[in-house]
Amino acid sequence: MQIKVIARFKCELSSKFGVPRQSGILPGLKGAIVFEPEYRNDDALRGLDNFSHIWLIWGFSETERDTWSPTVRPPRLGGNTRMGVFATRSPYRPNAVGLSSVRLDRIERHPELGAVIHVLGADLMDGTPIYDIKPYLPYSDCHPDAGGGFASAAPEKTLKVTFNEKCTKLLPEESRNALMEILAFDPRPSYQNDPDRVYGMGYGEYNVKFTIDGNSLKVIDILPKTFDE
């Protein structure tokens, strides 16, 4: 079976590092769905704006591989405990397919791109291929009494984020606040804990450099991306 890419996701997060580990963790995080030319047909979206949330079926385009492992190490368990791949949402799967529930913010018509779907709370990076979109149905998709296994508790913000004065001036307040929310959840792999290490992540047109010591994260530099990044 051939799966077609119907759209691409657009957002400020240009690499896996920093992307929320689940949808809905950052409910205000903005993103947009831009359809491929073949699928820019307004009729395909007729009635979608009556729904508050939608499902995105998408591809882990940065983790595709020819082999697979029956067990993986979930970050939630510290990266040291192995669980069955089908008991996790790891991107390292036999088929690199992701599923996310996001809030539908609005649908806008762009003069060149056609109808663009703006969403909130996605856990996708910029450029992620989207294979399908379906409406979220509260009466069947919501299960308040569901058990969450080893990931029953929602992740919490663990870091206090600060910027040096230079970095504060480089980003508009809205972008800076969104970046702070992302960083507060600690984007590092669970096995990394080096206070002397300088970490980096792509954010919009910039590379963000920061250090982490204990529960304090400090953004020390924000640099424009080079052409080859």
Side-chain angles (χ1 to χ4, degrees):
M1 184 180 70
Q2 182 181 5
I3 297 180
K4 297 181 179 180
V5 176
I6 65 167
R8 298 277 177 180
F9 193 75
K10 300 297 180 183
C11 68
E12 299 284 3
L13 299 170
S14 57
S15 64
K16 294 183 295 180
F17 194 82
V19 173
R21 293 189 173 103
Q22 301 295 340
S23 60
I25 292 177
L26 295 176
L29 188 61
K30 297 180 180 180
I33 299 166
V34 178
F35 286 92
E36 297 290 282
E38 180 182 355
Y39 300 100
R40 292 174 186 171
N41 188 318
D42 288 355
D43 288 340
L45 300 180
R46 188 183 302 170
L48 186 64
D49 54 359
N50 292 324
F51 295 89
S52 65
H53 292 74
I54 57 177
W55 289 106
L56 303 181
I57 301 172
W58 49 278
F60 289 103
S61 53
E62 297 297 306
T63 59
E64 292 180 354
R65 53 178 62 179
D66 295 329
T67 60
W68 73 287
S69 171
T71 61
V72 294
R73 299 176 178 178
R76 177 63 69 90
L77 298 178
N80 298 316
T81 303
R82 285 195 171 274
M83 300 294 289
V85 65
F86 300 129
T88 75
R89 297 191 176 188
S90 168
Y92 303 104
R93 324 182 65 79
N95 293 303
V97 176
L99 176 68
S100 298
S101 171
V102 300
R103 174 174 286 278
L104 173 57
D105 184 27
R106 66 191 188 280
I107 301 175
E108 288 186 343
R109 177 148 194 90
H110 189 278
E112 297 178 359
L113 302 177
V116 176
I117 303 176
H118 293 266
V119 299
L120 299 171
D123 55 343
L124 285 67
M125 62 176 284
D126 186 62
T128 294
I130 295 177
Y131 303 135
D132 204 358
I133 298 168
K134 298 178 185 291
Y136 177 95
L137 302 178
Y139 73 86
S140 63
D141 295 343
C142 180
H143 303 279
D145 58 345
F150 65 85
S152 58
E156 298 179 352
K157 298 177 185 178
T158 58
L159 301 178
K160 179 181 179 181
V161 181
T162 58
F163 292 74
N164 65 25
E165 186 175 354
K166 170 190 172 183
C167 296
T168 300
K169 294 178 179 179
L170 279 173
L171 288 178
E173 183 177 3
E174 182 179 9
S175 295
R176 190 169 66 251
N177 289 341
L179 178 59
M180 289 179 68
E181 287 285 303
I182 294 168
L183 294 175
F185 279 96
D186 196 346
R188 297 174 299 175
S190 55
Y191 55 83
Q192 291 184 1
N193 187 20
D194 182 0
D196 296 322
R197 178 168 182 169
V198 176
Y199 297 91
M201 62 172 278
Y203 185 73
E205 301 176 354
Y206 299 97
N207 280 321
V208 179
K209 304 292 184 181
F210 57 91
T211 58
I212 301 177
D213 189 359
N215 65 346
S216 297
L217 183 152
K218 184 173 183 178
V219 178
I220 59 174
D221 211 349
I222 297 180
L223 305 171
K225 288 184 179 178
T226 59
F227 289 107
D228 58 346
E229 292 180 303

